[in-house]
Amino acid sequence: MAAKNIKTIKILGIDTSCDDTSIALVKIQDTRYKILSNVVSSQVKLHAKYGGVFPSLAKREHQKNLPAVLNEALRFASLSQGEIDFVAVTSGPGLEPCLWQGINFAQEIAKKYKKPLIPVNHIEAHILANLIEGSPTSFNLPAIALVVSGGHTQLILIKKIGRYRLIGETRDDAAGECFDKAARILGLSYPGGPIIAAEAAKYKIQNTSHKLQLPRPMMYTKDYDFSFSGLKTAVLYMVKQGNYDKIEMCREIQQSIIDVLIHKTIKAAKDFGVKSIILGGGVAANQELRNQFELKINPDANMSGLRPKRRRNQKSKIKFLVPPEILCTDNAAMVAVAAYFHRAEKVKNIEADANLRI
Ligand code: KG4
Ligand code: ZN
């Protein structure tokens, strides 16, 4: 019997939406997504002294880093330019000057390689990061996706890949932004999420008595929206008053954000009768959030036996998907995967759209 001829597609993805310059090569065969390379050049140290991302500085860094990141991605994947089928780039949402830097570079590359260029929505890419190195049937649809990053906190109903309905989002600060701003108030470095998480992890070890209580904004409202600016203000108020334990404060900030995110996501999952809950975005790298989501969805799960990489809930009716931590924060492999679903669309003009909606 003749071997089945399965077409392999190789996509080069580029993401410069915020402060990471990333280029990846992903091979897609038989609806399986394999990362050949996923290079992320982080500008964290540069922006740390400003306590957040400085757009014009980030743009200049992207410009400087892109050629070297491309070479590294090609070298690591052992691919030549001729072996690439498509070039993909994040066109939004994100910081406009940064997005343009990636788009201009992608246009040059696509022209040089004589390959089609595909624009990608960064939010969709965060969701589809869950398909990478998973099975083709990873998504049990309909699903609710919670995208939690430095710029977004959104609940999205997915009927099928490519058909999304935004059902709720933050009315002010994003969850990641709240971590970052709270860290700044506490005199901690940027990005605040992983730093607050590391401080919070010391809480159990210290066994400090728990006195401090922060609000859980909008946790019980009937809609699917969020609000985190009040939480940040409450932290500021307590810090000004003094007399607080930093570790306990970090633990309470993290727990407040986790409580709200889990409560609202599970409410949405029940209301819409979905088959899976899908996480994405930098805040989804938070270990406590991942553990507590898993426990809430599947109370029988033995956490110690679960690998932090990818957790799939077999027993309960709702399947829980979260990418490996490295694919939660910004990367270009997720951009290449999202582009795969849009490769047949003809796009004439690619423009940066800082506020692009899903
Ligand atoms: O998705 P991402 O890399 O970039 C955006 O698209 O915004 O998300 C960055 C955000 C930052 O606010 C950062 O503090 C947060 O994700 N973050 C975390 C963790 N790792 C990154 N928040 C909580 N816990 C973490 N482990
Ligand atoms: Zn992102």
Side-chain angles (χ1 to χ4, degrees):
M1 209 166 74
K4 214 167 127 193
N5 188 13
I6 298 166
K7 173 134 176 60
T8 303
I9 292 178
K10 297 191 191 82
I11 304 182
L12 183 142
I14 301 174
D15 186 84
T16 59
S17 58
C18 193
D19 60 342
D20 290 316
T21 315
S22 179
I23 299 188
L25 280 146
V26 173
K27 184 170 94 175
I28 301 123
Q29 187 174 34
D30 192 20
T31 59
R32 283 185 187 275
Y33 308 84
K34 179 144 188 56
I35 296 177
L36 302 178
S37 62
N38 191 14
V39 181
V40 182
S41 170
S42 170
Q43 303 176 11
V44 157
K45 280 197 187 126
L46 191 72
H47 297 282
K49 54 178 175 277
Y50 302 102
V53 182
F54 212 76
S56 58
L57 199 63
K59 177 196 139 126
R60 248 189 298 145
E61 280 300 296
H62 287 312
Q63 188 175 19
K64 210 168 80 190
N65 294 339
L66 277 164
V69 173
L70 173 66
N71 282 339
E72 207 180 327
L74 287 169
R75 193 176 52 82
F76 202 82
S78 303
L79 280 188
S80 68
Q81 303 170 3
E83 290 174 89
I84 292 157
D85 299 292
F86 296 93
V87 177
V89 64
T90 300
S91 62
L95 300 170
E96 195 169 320
C98 298
L99 291 167
W100 272 120
Q101 207 60 56
I103 292 171
N104 291 337
F105 187 76
Q107 274 167 338
E108 275 173 37
I109 299 292
K111 203 170 154 193
K112 191 171 151 205
Y113 296 2
K114 297 191 180 65
K115 300 295 172 197
L117 179 59
I118 308 166
V120 168
N121 182 310
H122 186 80
I123 302 290
E124 184 181 21
H126 270 307
I127 296 171
L128 298 183
N130 280 284
L131 290 172
I132 301 173
E133 294 180 357
S135 84
T137 52
S138 283
F139 282 16
N140 271 358
L141 298 173
I144 285 287
L146 170 70
V147 178
V148 263
S149 68
H152 295 86
T153 302
Q154 297 189 333
L155 277 172
I156 297 151
L157 177 65
I158 311 175
K159 295 254 171 74
K160 60 181 258 217
I161 294 178
R163 253 186 77 198
Y164 308 104
R165 198 176 120 207
L166 180 67
I167 59 163
E169 64 185 325
T170 183
R171 296 185 182 176
D172 39 58
D173 293 349
E177 195 178 354
C178 183
F179 270 117
D180 296 339
K181 287 179 174 171
R184 204 164 153 183
I185 293 167
L186 290 166
L188 300 170
S189 193
Y190 172 84
I195 295 165
I196 289 187
E199 287 297 307
K202 296 177 192 163
Y203 178 79
K204 276 184 201 149
I205 301 162
Q206 272 201 355
N207 201 16
T208 323
S209 68
H210 189 60
K211 299 183 290 281
L212 206 149
Q213 259 222 305
L214 288 167
R216 269 68 175 152
M218 289 187 70
M219 181 147 142
Y220 297 106
T221 56
K222 288 204 172 77
D223 51 34
Y224 307 105
D225 283 348
F226 301 91
S227 166
F228 291 106
S229 75
L231 178 58
K232 165 201 69 194
T233 311
V235 173
L236 182 66
Y237 185 73
M238 283 190 186
V239 168
K240 274 190 176 159
Q241 282 190 323
N243 193 27
Y244 65 91
D245 177 72
K246 201 184 256 187
I247 290 173
E248 189 188 2
M249 178 69 90
C250 287
R251 186 254 176 211
E252 180 63 6
I253 293 166
Q254 177 175 265
Q255 197 53 51
S256 167
I257 294 173
I258 290 175
D259 285 349
V260 177
L261 291 177
I262 292 183
H263 187 87
K264 281 261 157 117
T265 306
I266 290 189
K267 171 181 157 54
K270 283 183 184 160
D271 290 355
F272 288 94
V274 299
K275 293 184 182 153
S276 359
I277 289 177
I278 297 169
L279 256 55
V283 178
N286 186 283
Q287 204 55 55
E288 271 301 313
L289 178 72
R290 299 159 78 97
N291 291 350
Q292 291 184 33
F293 245 119
E294 180 80 44
L295 272 177
K296 196 85 185 175
I297 295 168
N298 178 16
D300 301 329
N302 172 10
M303 297 313 297
S304 58
L306 288 166
R307 289 167 63 218
K309 229 179 113 196
R310 170 178 283 266
R311 290 176 182 162
R312 218 162 300 143
N313 184 351
Q314 308 292 357
K315 280 186 202 154
S316 82
K317 272 198 254 160
I318 296 181
K319 194 170 169 178
F320 177 55
L321 284 174
V322 59
E325 284 160 58
I326 195 84
L327 296 174
C328 289
T329 45
D330 286 350
N331 67 89
M334 65 183 196
V335 173
V337 171
Y340 177 73
F341 294 90
H342 296 282
R343 67 194 188 284
E345 295 164 17
K346 297 265 174 290
V347 185
K348 271 198 189 136
N349 261 335
I350 300 182
E351 298 212 338
D353 183 349
N355 303 310
L356 187 65
R357 310 288 277 175
I358 192 160

